[in-house]
Amino acid sequence: MADDAEKSWGPKHFIQNTPCARNSFLYGMGGGAVGGFAYFLWTSNPRRSYHALVVSFTATVLLYWVPCRYQYAQKRLKSRMINQGLKTHIVMQGTPEAELLASAQEQGTKS
């Protein structure tokens, strides 16, 4: 029963276990607070400054989240390719195909 409560899906679970989520929300909260406060100082209208807070929060989160997730996906793709290459190298080690590949690589580096 306690395991089910720990595995439940919620905002805390999302922020803790999703890459880039924590930093995105922290920067978004800071950017939203600064944007809302600046707009309040400019207009002295609390309702419109709240709207500015929400807009600046959303913009900051999205502007941080999208590039961070893109870079994360690129890193995962590269690590998968490296792992697959290592597995292939281990499997092929000592076979005639590996010796042919090694000799072809040696000839390619000499010329």
Side-chain angles (χ1 to χ4, degrees):
M1 191 82 143
D3 292 334
D4 294 336
E6 291 176 346
K7 292 181 182 179
S8 66
W9 188 255
K12 183 179 178 184
H13 183 269
F14 173 76
I15 290 173
Q16 286 178 346
N17 296 328
T18 305
C20 303
R22 180 179 178 268
N23 287 343
S24 295
F25 281 105
L26 285 175
Y27 288 135
M29 285 186 276
V34 168
F37 185 67
Y39 199 81
F40 177 74
L41 290 177
W42 185 38
T43 62
S44 298
N45 186 347
R47 183 175 178 156
R48 289 186 67 187
S49 65
Y50 178 74
H51 292 284
L53 181 144
V54 171
V55 167
S56 58
F57 168 79
T58 305
T60 306
V61 166
L62 289 176
L63 287 174
Y64 189 82
W65 174 272
V66 172
C68 184
R69 289 297 291 187
Y70 179 76
Q71 290 173 355
Y72 177 74
Q74 292 295 322
K75 287 179 187 177
R76 280 187 59 192
L77 180 65
K78 287 180 183 179
S79 70
R80 284 183 186 168
M81 290 173 59
I82 290 170
N83 285 339
Q84 185 62 34
L86 288 173
K87 287 178 186 177
T88 305
H89 176 73
I90 290 170
V91 169
M92 288 183 60
Q93 212 169 19
T95 62
E97 291 86 5
E99 293 171 7
L100 283 172
L101 185 60
S103 65
Q105 287 176 346
E106 287 176 7
Q107 290 175 359
T109 57
K110 288 181 181 178
S111 56

